[in-house]
Every structure is written in structure tokens, then in C-alpha cells.
Amino acid sequence: MALFDPFFAPDPAPLSALYDFVTCTEVAEHFHYPDREFARLRGLVRPGGWLAIMTCFQTEDAHFANWHYRKDPTHVVFYREQTFRHLAHVWGWVCEVPGKDVVLMQAPGGAPA
């Protein structure tokens, strides 16, 4: 296991390796440049490997204004389940949503999901 966090574990060495399983837990909502960050995460996953993301999915638009998650000033971007399904489609990956606010995406090249 290798750990990278820009604030709490800033050693960039883990960003130059490939992994079977990469997690991004309660971090994606802090991405100022999500396209760059998702490209980075994608590049860390071996063929057949998995990217697991946990973030609170955006609520219905009618509830967005009062949503507690939106009120955190460090949360600058929000996602819906469809966002991750779209990313997986564009990347040619498999996307599964096994539970609330959890996405598993598998890179091609491994055993079928």
C-alpha cells in the first residue's frame, strides 16, 4: 500500500507507480481541476485494476441549495452517479455502484467484472 495526500502525505513517489486498486475517499469533491485529477487517478490503475471513489452524490436540484455537503467551503465540485458512468464509458471501463455514494470502475485488460 502506498499513500499520497497533498496535505497529509505529500510524498509524490506513489504517483509514479501502477496499482491493482486505487482509492479516492472523500477527496474528489475538493478537486479544483477534476479532469486533471481523474486523468492522474486513471493513470495509476494497472490494466484490469480498479479505481474506487467515495463521495457524496449530488442531491436533486430542488434540494441542492440546502444540502449540507455543498455548504462545506472546501467542496468545490459535486458529482452524480451518471458522472462516473460517463467517465467509465469514455475510458472504456466498467462502472459499478455497489452502494450509496460509492463507485467502482475497472480498467480493461483484466478478468471481466
Side-chain angles (χ1 to χ4, degrees), residues 41-81:
L41 290 170
R42 179 182 176 204
L44 295 172
V45 179
R46 286 186 207 282
W50 292 86
L51 172 59
I53 299 169
M54 187 174 86
T55 186
C56 200
F57 292 160
Q58 183 178 337
T59 62
E60 296 177 28
D61 290 339
H63 300 258
F64 187 74
N66 294 318
W67 187 33
H68 77 282
Y69 210 66
R70 181 193 69 80
K71 294 180 179 182
D72 182 324
T74 67
H75 295 177
V76 296
V77 63
F78 307 99
Y79 310 92
R80 295 177 189 254
E81 181 180 322

Side-chain angles (χ1 to χ4, degrees), residues 17-66:
L18 292 177
Y19 302 93
D20 294 320
F21 197 85
V22 173
T23 63
C24 177
T25 304
E26 293 297 327
V27 174
E29 59 276 3
H30 302 275
F31 290 168
H32 285 266
Y33 302 98
D35 57 332
R36 286 189 220 162
E37 298 301 337
F38 283 116
R40 178 188 301 195
L41 290 170
R42 179 182 176 204
L44 295 172
V45 179
R46 286 186 207 282
W50 292 86
L51 172 59
I53 299 169
M54 187 174 86
T55 186
C56 200
F57 292 160
Q58 183 178 337
T59 62
E60 296 177 28
D61 290 339
H63 300 258
F64 187 74
N66 294 318

Side-chain angles (χ1 to χ4, degrees), residues 92-104:
W93 289 29
V94 172
C95 181
E96 299 178 19
V97 179
K100 183 181 181 317
D101 302 329
V102 175
V103 176
L104 298 173

